[in-house]
Amino acid sequence: MDHTQENEILIATQTYCVERPIYSYPALHGKLHKKDKVSDPIGDKIKRALSCTPKKIRNIIYMFLPICKWLPAYKPREYVFGDFVSGISTGVLHLPQGLAFAMLAAVPPVFGLYSSFYPVILYCFFGTSRHVSIGPFAVISLMIGGVAVRLVPDDMYVGGGGANSTNSTEERDAMRVKVAMSVTLLSGIIQFCLGVLRFGFVAIYLTEPLVRGFTTAAAVHVFTSMLKYLFGVKTKRHSGPFSVVYSTLAVIANVKKLNICSLVVGLMCFALLLGGKEFNERFKNKLPAPIPLEIVAVIIGTGISAGFNLEESYKVDVVGSLPLGLLAPATPDSSLFHLVYVDAIAIAIVGFSVTISMAKIFAVKHGYQVDGNQELIALGICNTIGSLFQTFSISCSLSRSLVQESTGGNTQLAGCLASLLILLVILAIGFLFESLPQTIWLTTFVSSLFLGLDYGLITAVIIALMTVIYRTQSPTYTVLGQLPNTDVYIDIDAYEEVKEHPGIKIFQINAPIYYANSDLYSNALSRKTGVNPALIMAARRKVLKKHAKELGTKGKPQSSVVKVDEDAETGGEEDAKQEEQIEENAKPVTIDSLVQKTFPPELERFLPPGPNVHTMILDFSQVNFIDSVGVKTVAGILKEYGDVGIYVYLAACSVQVVNDLTRNRFFENPCVKELLFHSIHDAVLGAKVREALAQQEALAEPPEEDSEPIIDPET
């Protein structure tokens, strides 16, 4: 027997014994003393908030400009080589992805290069993650493209051929760029405002399964949207619901017009990328860094296209003009905001969610922290300022981030170096890639499968929220029993050893009690325990009416009528009422006042057989909050069961639940607090003690002679 098994046997054979009083809520808190919380005067709070100290200024600078914190702590000997290799590797990946994602965004390819330069530089100053690669991202790009195509469809600019066709295409692209810039500016403003207002928590509604499903479906959408480039056919670009179906059908309808040369080049590049991926994976331990196959494919594809003049000789579509130099800043068209605000909200949230998810993964792996609110501010600044320089919305690219981290990147300087490579292409060598075939973009991934990105995202979020509501609206209800000789209470239907206490039902819910499930909770209580106060009350009334009818048929002699003076009679009644009121006020207020015991015991035998229950215990150990509707429901349960002589106890309430009950005036009657118990076992023992005392009092009462029960059929 090993040491672990010995420990398990030793633990299983150990017992403990605790001797303490039964704690109801008042009894427990009567022994506790709350700490006095001294609140600072409002003047001191304002003074402290407005104070200006060097430490406070430094913290504010570190918060909004994280570069001021990590750059002075930069360790050149440890970080320079890793950042250099990572920057080069990430930069060569920026080039093909920037060009490809610009096509997804329905703007000319050069704007993808702009989006790979400006935002990366800005994120270096304002971002908190050291390893994410900011720039064009497939999902965001296709969302931008969906808006641009919806507002500027191809049908708006149809040329008759020649120069007219070229001019119409340029006008269409210019308008789509204007739409993309407007969406980018608005999404950036939204992200910045959410960050300033500390709304970083919104990402929790985009759960990991939701994001994974969203991006996986995007792969199918991108694949179908790129099919026309692979086959070299001209089709209309579709957006909105079922665009993936329309795009596929359009390619199939024009498959007879496919360009064989375009297909061959695309399949060659695809084979190169796939084979190179397997090579990098197999020899990753021997290679100093993964071979940048994307740039290799770009160079080979560009060389073949230029060498054989594929555009002129075989009508293969190429990237086209890549003008050198940077464009002058321009203000986006704010008049389009009312047309794109819904898309801007979706883009802002998705972009942030993807970025913060990847940033947290790297932060946990490398032992540092990222600030969700500052990430929102950083992305907002990147998109807002970037839109002035003709960039479209950016986010964290999953593939580039993995490359940047796996090749040894240590800080944001790796991203800066990558952006400098893109700057070199923009300013000097961009013309070299003008002959690049568009089929190179087959492996790009993005978008929702059938409904499109905007509707797909909204649908996914709604379904996620409905799932949360459904789980709280339809929780698990359990009747508990005791594990003999312990204070452990578990599901009575799950284990044979668990036993119920006679006359006591323990009911548990594993969710909060609020407006959406309060009625269901009340119904489940009577259904699971088998104790329905409405049925009990109806049965009792039926017995009482039957008994009253039997008494009426016996023909009992009527009592003699005594005539007295009306004033004397009235005065006597008032005196009697006053005496009764005085006696009632003199009685101590106890929990017995909450339970009606007016049904004659001698008539119990006439009731139909049913559970003989005197106490219901509501286990609130898994209830984390209760709203006003839930409080009214619980109060109604106390009254309904109390009317049929059944006590209702509340066990294991958290401080939050007690505060909710107090705020909603549940304890307006002070004796109600006597119904709260510290644990289920306290409530069970309290119920047993109460019943034992009641039996002792019943035995001590002298029997009444020749007395008949006073029957009120309406009771």
Side-chain angles (χ1 to χ4, degrees):
M1 184 180 298
D2 59 17
H3 186 66
T4 304
Q5 291 177 335
E6 291 179 356
N7 284 342
E8 291 178 353
I9 295 175
L10 181 62
I11 292 173
T13 57
Q14 298 302 304
T15 61
Y16 73 95
C17 180
V18 177
E19 185 176 347
R20 64 170 176 81
I22 300 172
Y23 281 137
S24 65
Y25 184 83
L28 176 61
H29 286 264
K31 292 189 174 184
L32 301 176
H33 300 86
K34 285 191 174 182
K35 293 182 179 179
D36 294 331
K37 295 182 180 180
V38 181
S39 179
D40 295 335
I42 187 66
D44 293 345
K45 293 181 179 179
I46 296 175
K47 183 179 179 180
R48 187 164 56 249
L50 298 179
S51 63
C52 185
T53 62
K55 182 179 179 180
K56 191 171 184 179
I57 294 175
R58 185 172 64 253
N59 290 337
I60 293 175
I61 293 175
Y62 286 168
M63 181 184 299
F64 289 99
L65 282 172
I67 191 174
C68 297
K69 186 175 183 179
W70 63 262
L71 187 58
Y74 190 82
K75 301 176 182 178
R77 291 185 179 180
E78 297 181 21
Y79 294 164
V80 165
F81 179 76
D83 284 343
F84 178 79
V85 174
S86 176
I88 297 296
S89 302
T90 308
V92 298
L93 190 57
H94 258 295
L95 174 60
Q97 287 194 352
L99 297 174
F101 296 161
M103 296 173 62
L104 293 178
V107 296
V110 70
F111 292 91
L113 299 181
Y114 301 152
S115 301
S116 299
F117 172 65
Y118 291 106
V120 179
I121 296 294
L122 292 170
Y123 185 83
C124 180
F125 287 87
F126 298 98
T128 59
S129 176
R130 305 174 189 173
H131 297 92
V132 298
S133 176
I134 294 298
F137 178 48
V139 174
I140 303 299
S141 299
L142 203 55
M143 293 176 77
I144 292 283
V147 184
V149 173
R150 187 184 75 237
L151 297 182
V152 189
D154 293 332
D155 298 342
M156 291 180 61
Y157 299 90
V158 179
N164 292 334
S165 177
T166 302
N167 293 336
S168 63
T169 301
E170 292 177 353
E171 292 175 3
R172 181 203 63 189
D173 290 345
M175 191 60 194
R176 287 180 176 176
V177 169
K178 185 180 295 186
V179 172
M181 301 308 106
S182 298
V183 177
T184 301
L185 175 60
L186 187 55
S187 64
I189 293 174
I190 293 171
Q191 288 174 328
F192 184 83
C193 292
L194 290 176
V196 172
L197 296 175
R198 324 309 286 173
F199 266 62
F201 68 88
V202 297
I204 64 175
Y205 296 103
L206 291 174
T207 61
E208 182 182 357
L210 187 151
V211 174
R212 286 181 180 273
F214 184 77
T215 53
T216 302
V220 179
H221 197 118
V222 171
F223 180 83
T224 57
S225 65
M226 293 294 106
L227 283 177
K228 64 178 183 180
Y229 300 112
L230 176 65
F231 290 102
V233 297
K234 304 291 185 180
T235 63
K236 175 184 176 182
R237 178 163 178 166
H238 300 275
S239 63
F242 299 100
S243 58
V244 64
V245 178
Y246 299 142
S247 298
T248 305
L249 292 177
V251 173
I252 294 174
N254 292 274
V255 71
K256 294 181 179 180
K257 302 177 182 179
L258 69 86
N259 189 311
I260 298 296
C261 184
S262 178
L263 179 61
V264 171
V265 173
L267 293 178
M268 288 175 55
C269 293
F270 183 79
L272 175 64
L273 293 173
L274 185 61
K277 179 183 177 182
E278 294 297 326
F279 181 85
N280 282 334
E281 185 66 25
R282 176 170 296 186
F283 298 99
K284 62 181 179 181
N285 295 326
K286 298 181 180 180
L287 295 173
I291 299 176
L293 294 163
E294 290 80 6
I295 195 65
V296 173
V298 168
I299 294 173
I300 294 176
T302 304
I304 293 175
S305 176
F308 291 94
N309 194 15
L310 297 183
E311 182 182 14
E312 297 293 336
S313 302
Y314 300 97
K315 306 300 180 183
V316 174
D317 291 331
V318 296
V319 168
S321 176
L322 289 176
L324 297 180
L326 298 171
L327 298 179
T331 304
D333 188 357
S334 59
S335 64
L336 299 174
F337 283 179
H338 71 285
L339 299 175
V340 300
Y341 70 92
V342 175
D343 306 276
I345 294 173
I347 290 170
I349 296 177
V350 172
F352 166 66
S353 177
V354 173
T355 301
I356 195 63
S357 299
M358 185 61 69
K360 285 183 176 180
I361 292 174
F362 290 137
V364 171
K365 182 177 180 180
H366 294 277
Y368 63 92
Q369 293 183 341
V370 292
D371 184 353
N373 294 309
Q374 182 59 29
E375 287 298 300
L376 270 172
I377 292 175
L379 291 175
I381 292 175
C382 290
N383 282 324
T384 303
I385 297 180
S387 67
L388 304 178
F389 294 91
Q390 287 78 49
T391 71
F392 52 83
S393 289
I394 51 85
S395 180
C396 160
S397 169
L398 307 182
S399 57
R400 289 199 312 271
S401 297
L402 292 173
V403 170
Q404 181 168 321
E405 188 267 343
S406 62
T407 52
N410 297 293
T411 66
Q412 291 92 322
L413 287 182
C416 283
L417 181 58
S419 67
L420 293 179
L421 288 180
I422 298 300
L423 181 63
L424 175 64
V425 174
I426 295 174
L427 296 179
I429 61 175
F431 65 92
L432 296 177
F433 301 98
E434 292 181 355
S435 300
L436 183 63
Q438 292 183 353
T439 56
I440 214 78
W441 318 130
L442 180 63
T443 55
T444 308
F445 298 105
V446 169
S447 182
S448 283
L449 185 54
F450 287 111
L451 295 180
L453 289 170
D454 44 3
Y455 295 111
L457 175 65
I458 295 172
T459 303
V461 172
I462 291 175
I463 291 175
L465 294 177
M466 289 179 65
T467 302
V468 175
I469 295 173
Y470 173 77
R471 289 180 177 178
T472 57
Q473 190 175 2
S474 302
T476 301
Y477 302 105
T478 310
V479 176
L480 305 181
Q482 183 188 25
L483 191 62
N485 302 319
T486 70
D487 61 351
V488 177
Y489 291 83
I490 51 182
D491 187 358
I492 193 171
D493 295 328
Y495 304 97
E496 295 179 355
E497 296 82 2
V498 180
K499 304 298 180 184
E500 281 189 294
H501 290 280
I504 299 176
K505 291 287 186 180
I506 306 170
F507 184 69
Q508 182 189 73
I509 179 177
N510 66 342
I513 303 175
Y514 68 119
Y515 66 91
N517 66 3
S518 56
D519 289 340
L520 300 174
Y521 177 75
S522 179
N523 295 335
L525 175 62
S526 59
R527 184 182 70 254
K528 294 284 289 186
T529 60
V531 182
N532 191 323
L535 296 180
I536 295 174
M537 183 64 73
R540 288 183 176 182
R541 287 176 177 171
K542 185 176 180 180
V543 170
L544 289 173
K545 288 181 179 180
K546 183 177 180 180
H547 186 68
K549 185 177 181 181
E550 291 177 354
L551 291 178
T553 59
K554 288 182 179 180
K556 295 181 65 176
Q558 295 182 352
S559 59
S560 58
V561 180
V562 181
K563 294 183 179 180
V564 296
D565 183 70
E566 291 183 359
D567 294 337
E569 181 181 356
T570 304
E573 290 180 356
E574 291 179 355
D575 293 339
K577 289 181 180 179
Q578 290 178 359
E579 291 178 2
E580 291 177 359
Q581 186 66 33
I582 293 173
E583 292 178 359
E584 188 70 23
N585 293 336
K587 292 180 180 179
V589 179
T590 63
I591 59 174
D592 292 331
S593 62
L594 302 173
V595 179
Q596 304 294 328
K597 297 183 178 179
T598 58
F599 190 75
E602 58 270 21
L603 298 181
E604 292 282 352
R605 66 181 184 274
F606 297 109
L607 292 173
N612 185 18
V613 176
H614 55 73
T615 305
M616 302 285 293
I617 298 176
L618 307 182
D619 176 21
F620 274 25
S621 59
Q622 298 185 23
V623 178
N624 55 3
F625 76 89
I626 180 170
D627 69 352
S628 59
V629 178
V631 172
K632 290 181 180 179
T633 299
V634 175
I637 290 173
L638 263 64
K639 185 179 185 306
E640 290 176 4
Y641 284 86
D643 288 345
V644 295
I646 299 177
Y647 291 84
V648 179
Y649 289 170
L650 276 62
C653 295
S654 66
V655 175
Q656 176 63 46
V657 171
V658 174
N659 291 339
D660 292 339
L661 294 171
T662 304
R663 185 171 57 253
N664 290 284
R665 304 177 66 182
F666 182 74
F667 302 116
E668 192 171 13
N669 186 343
C671 66
V672 174
K673 282 194 174 182
E674 298 289 341
L675 302 175
L676 267 66
F677 285 84
H678 180 65
S679 67
I680 298 176
H681 199 56
D682 286 307
V684 170
L685 296 178
K688 289 187 172 183
V689 170
R690 187 200 70 238
E691 288 300 305
L693 293 175
Q695 290 179 5
Q696 291 179 4
E697 292 178 1
L699 293 175
E701 292 180 359
E704 298 182 4
E705 298 180 357
D706 299 328
S707 62
E708 291 188 359
I710 301 174
I711 306 300
D712 181 6
E714 298 301 324
T715 302

